[in-house]
């Protein structure tokens, strides 16, 4: 692997269906990339002001981290992001640090810093941590999370950065659990929210 384009090229050769499936080769490629993290640095440093004006339209901020857009394959429908975690005094309670699941499966490589990773399951209307699956990760560890699994991060070190590969989406919502009742808050993506927007725009035209 000589540059980040090689990493993307190798991802293109993997299997990306059905939606939610994550080829085991993704983890192998992330581990290989973790041995040459300067390839990621070079890519980030290659972005100029003009490039960033366009790129920032695809990036967004969460309560716990900045999600930097790296790549989307239109045919295979997988995505690559950089997650830049905020310092403790800048973070708010939010998605990464409360139990949640995703619209997709993911594989993550820790480039800098680290955190503890927890899994949960629903039992009798309650959310229970699977303590035997708790792990501590630091660079250059890599791991995967299936879209159906509920997980969270804790003890996130300041300035942690991860590279995340997302499978094609399975559904257009995810779930976050802000208490131990096992009752989730649903978080919709913009594909799902488009119907609501259409209804709102139509309603605004009614006199």
């Amino acid at each position: 692997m000589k540059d980040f384009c090689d990493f993307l090229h190798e991802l293109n050769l993997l299997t990306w269906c059905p939606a939610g499936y994550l080829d085991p080769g993704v983890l192998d490629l992330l581990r290989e990339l973790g041995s040459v993290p300067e390839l990621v640095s070079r890519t980030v440093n290659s972005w100029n002001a003009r490039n960033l004006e366009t790129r920032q339209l695809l990036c967004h901020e969460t309560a716990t981290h900045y999600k930097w857009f790296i790549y989307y394959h239109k045919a295979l429908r997988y995505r690559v992001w950089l997650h830049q975690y905020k310092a403790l005094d800048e973070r708010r309670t939010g998605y990464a640090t409360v139990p949640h699941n995703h619209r997709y499966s993911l594989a993550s490589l820790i480039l800098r810093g680290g955190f503890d990773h927890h899994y949960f399951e629903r039992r009798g209307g309650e959310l229970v941590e699977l303590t035997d699956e708790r792990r501590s990760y630091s660079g250059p560890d890599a791991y995967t999370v299936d879209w159906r699994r509920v997980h969270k991060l804790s003890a996130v070190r300041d300035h942690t950065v991860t590279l995340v590969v997302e499978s094609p989406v399975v559904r257009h919502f995810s779930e976050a659990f802000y208490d131990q009742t096992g009752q989730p808050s649903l978080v919709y993506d913009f594909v799902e929210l488009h119907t609501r927007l259409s209804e709102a725009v139509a309603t605004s035209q009614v006199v």
Side-chain angles (χ1 to χ4, degrees):
M1 193 177 294
K2 296 181 180 179
D3 57 32
F4 195 76
C5 289
D6 288 342
F7 171 71
L8 296 177
H9 174 73
E10 292 298 322
L11 285 178
N12 294 344
L13 301 178
L14 301 178
T15 300
W16 292 100
C17 60
Y21 175 73
L22 204 62
D23 192 304
V26 177
L27 204 57
D28 294 334
L29 288 172
L30 284 175
R31 287 169 175 152
E32 183 178 352
L33 183 64
S35 68
V36 281
E38 62 271 18
L39 301 186
V40 180
S41 298
R42 288 178 199 164
T43 297
V44 172
N45 292 333
S46 72
W47 299 341
N48 55 38
R50 185 174 182 179
N51 177 289
L52 284 167
E53 283 293 331
T54 302
R55 186 175 299 277
Q56 72 173 341
L57 299 175
L58 301 170
C59 303
H60 60 271
E61 180 182 3
T62 75
T64 54
H65 60 284
Y66 300 98
K67 194 167 180 176
W68 291 87
F69 173 77
I70 303 294
Y71 182 73
Y72 173 63
H73 195 290
K74 292 182 179 180
L76 300 175
R77 297 173 48 242
Y78 73 84
R79 296 169 172 83
V80 183
W81 303 83
L82 277 172
H83 289 189
Q84 178 189 12
Y85 286 86
K86 299 176 180 179
L88 180 59
D89 60 356
E90 298 174 337
R91 274 178 243 145
R92 305 184 307 279
T93 300
Y95 226 67
T97 55
V98 300
H100 64 279
N101 54 31
H102 293 278
R103 300 173 293 122
Y104 44 77
S105 298
L106 65 88
S108 181
L109 166 69
I110 292 84
L111 294 167
R112 178 182 179 182
F115 44 72
D116 293 339
H117 185 266
H118 311 253
Y119 276 123
F120 299 81
E121 70 175 14
R122 284 171 266 200
R123 294 179 186 168
E126 294 184 347
L127 199 64
V128 179
E129 183 183 356
L130 303 174
T131 55
D132 59 330
E133 295 191 53
R134 188 183 302 171
R135 300 288 185 273
S136 292
Y137 293 121
S138 58
D141 293 335
Y143 66 96
T144 61
V145 178
D146 184 270
W147 67 275
R148 288 162 287 219
R149 303 216 57 186
V150 176
H151 75 133
K152 79 167 188 177
L153 310 183
S154 70
V156 181
R157 299 179 200 166
D158 287 355
H159 313 300
T160 290
V161 179
T162 63
L163 184 81
V164 177
V165 179
E166 298 175 353
S167 77
V169 299
V170 179
R171 59 189 183 180
H172 296 296
F173 70 93
S174 56
E175 300 171 305
F177 300 82
Y178 289 93
D179 54 43
Q180 296 300 312
T181 63
Q183 297 301 312
S185 297
L186 299 184
V187 182
Y188 297 100
D189 67 9
F190 282 92
V191 175
E192 183 70 25
L193 290 173
H194 178 255
T195 300
R196 299 186 186 187
L197 175 62
S198 296
E199 293 171 351
V201 172
T203 301
S204 69
Q205 296 173 352
V206 177
V207 178

